[in-house]
Amino acid sequence: MDEKNFVDGTSGAQHVTGAPLTTENAAVASPSLVSNAIDSAIVRIRPMATPLDQISRMGHTRAVDSMEVDYYSVDTRADRDSVESVQLLDDVEGASDQAYAVKVAHPNRFEVSDTLTCAGTPGQVVMYVAEKRPDGVLVCYSAGEGDVMDVEGAEVVRMGRAATQLDVQTPQFAALPTKSTNYCQIFKMQIEQSVVMKLSHKEIGWDFTDQQEAAIYDMRLGMEKQFLFGIKGKVYDPVKHETVTMTGGIWRQAGREIEVGLETFDSKALVDMLCSVFSENSGSRRKVLIGGSALISALNKIEHTHVITARDQVTSWGIDFSELQSKFGKLYVVYSDIFDVMGMPGNGIVVDPEYIQKHVFIPFNAETLDLRGSGQRNTEAMVLTEASCLTLRYPEAHARIIGR
């Protein structure tokens, strides 16, 4: 199609004028248009069997220009530390209050103007960090009623910073993300049917479209296993003389691991698990548990209390979940037989959908092969292709559940 047929829109979009709209010029003007239509149709094919792939397709998707993906993950700054020793200080010039030299295990977690309190008894001892000496010792003053000397051997928690009226600046703070890499994997599936088979009478209405649906389902099952348990790597194929890239799964990317006893799993254990899933991270209050049969069975045997309530069915991302509501957050539960296939029926993974990123190098597309025209075979053929990978942007918001 001639470039003169393309006209820029007021917002930068492409318009076609003086020519019919075809898939060819649509691909030039809007490369993702047709692919997005295919992708939206894919999520309607048996979504319950591939929950991770389903959520990733309907969540955060990013186009990339390389098969090797660099991504960054960041967590929250550590806010607690253990106190190794506390000493009285009498040599602080100009001090009108009693000064204390507080030595902590990791002094880099604290800065001047931080306020600290003792974990377990918050508010009884509140200290203000006035100075941080080169050896890491914190010079603190107490504003609480408790005895600062009792803090030795305890755990202190960093609270808010306290500034004076004339303070303009404060110690700098910056969160640096951790760089990781993953490889996009080229997933392919070829569908082929002979012309004779197409023309033959069939007892049921099984045609090429049914073949496509079955192939997409099988392809998604393979992708689901890879996205969960794949190992990132490259292998050289000596027959094809090419390097094959394999994507790493999120099972090993998850930042936390929670063990549960399946035989003794009761409502108290469930509350503890939910506490571990939702606490000590800045993830969302809505997460998804994808688990094997033994883990889901243990969950179903629990008698729910006023603390934990269950809803039979909640539909989201095209998937029917069972919902567990707690004071910590909502956990959407779905069974995946992939854990059973992998020999892990008692295991599962809790994912935070807000922090799953899908990187797409080649969007899911269907390409028709002209095998008859090339003189190879008298068949109709189609190849399904996608090159993609999954990453976790905030590993601590996700957890592996290990059933013992």
Side-chain angles (χ1 to χ4, degrees), residues 177-190:
T178 303
K179 182 178 179 180
S180 303
T181 61
N182 201 358
Y183 298 143
C184 287
Q185 181 169 327
I186 301 176
F187 301 95
K188 278 186 176 289
M189 176 68 70
Q190 184 165 329

Side-chain angles (χ1 to χ4, degrees), residues 271-397:
V271 172
D272 291 339
M273 188 191 81
L274 291 173
C275 177
S276 300
V277 165
F278 288 100
S279 64
E280 296 189 9
N281 64 75
S282 58
S284 64
R285 289 295 172 259
R286 185 181 68 160
K287 298 188 179 183
V288 174
L289 167 60
I290 305 170
S293 59
L295 178 60
I296 301 301
S297 177
L299 286 172
N300 287 334
K301 294 175 183 176
I302 296 175
E303 292 185 5
H304 303 290
T305 65
H306 65 282
V307 178
I308 304 292
T309 59
R311 293 173 62 186
D312 290 336
Q313 183 173 306
V314 175
T315 302
S316 187
W317 302 287
I319 303 173
D320 295 331
F321 296 96
S322 297
E323 182 187 63
L324 294 177
Q325 294 184 352
S326 71
K327 301 298 189 293
F328 299 104
K330 295 180 180 179
L331 187 66
Y332 291 174
V333 181
V334 63
Y335 163 64
S336 172
D337 61 356
I338 288 178
F339 278 89
D340 293 4
V341 172
M342 292 293 183
M344 304 164 62
N347 294 358
I349 187 168
V350 175
V351 295
D352 190 331
E354 294 298 320
Y355 295 99
I356 294 178
Q357 181 79 61
K358 182 171 185 178
H359 304 267
V360 180
F361 181 67
I362 301 175
F364 198 104
N365 65 87
E367 181 182 2
T368 302
L369 302 180
D370 186 11
L371 299 181
R372 281 181 290 174
S374 61
Q376 298 182 56
R377 287 186 297 276
N378 188 26
T379 61
E380 286 186 342
M382 177 177 291
V383 173
L384 309 174
T385 305
E386 178 178 300
S388 60
C389 66
L390 293 187
T391 60
L392 301 181
R393 291 185 291 152
Y394 180 32
E396 291 297 317

Side-chain angles (χ1 to χ4, degrees), residues 45-163:
I45 298 177
R46 306 184 195 181
M48 296 291 293
T50 54
L52 179 61
D53 182 58
Q54 181 79 4
I55 293 171
S56 67
R57 289 185 186 279
M58 303 185 71
H60 303 280
T61 302
R62 177 188 173 195
V64 295
D65 57 3
S66 172
M67 287 287 287
E68 185 169 346
V69 175
D70 293 333
Y71 66 98
Y72 292 84
S73 58
V74 64
D75 56 9
T76 55
R77 179 184 172 191
D79 61 355
R80 62 186 66 186
D81 200 5
S82 58
V83 178
E84 296 182 346
S85 65
V86 179
Q87 294 181 346
L88 294 173
L89 289 177
D90 298 322
D91 59 345
V92 180
E93 184 178 351
S96 58
D97 296 316
Q98 178 61 58
Y100 300 86
V102 180
K103 185 178 180 181
V104 294
H106 303 89
N108 59 333
R109 296 179 181 179
F110 307 100
E111 296 294 342
V112 172
S113 76
D114 279 342
T115 58
L116 312 178
T117 190
C118 188
T121 56
Q124 291 188 13
V125 176
V126 178
M127 296 177 289
Y128 168 76
V129 182
E131 180 186 351
K132 185 176 179 180
R133 294 183 171 176
D135 58 357
V137 171
L138 307 177
V139 178
C140 301
Y141 297 90
S142 175
E145 298 178 354
D147 189 353
V148 177
M149 301 301 294
D150 294 337
V151 175
E152 184 172 332
E155 188 178 53
V156 290
V157 179
R158 173 172 49 83
M159 298 194 296
R161 287 183 173 178

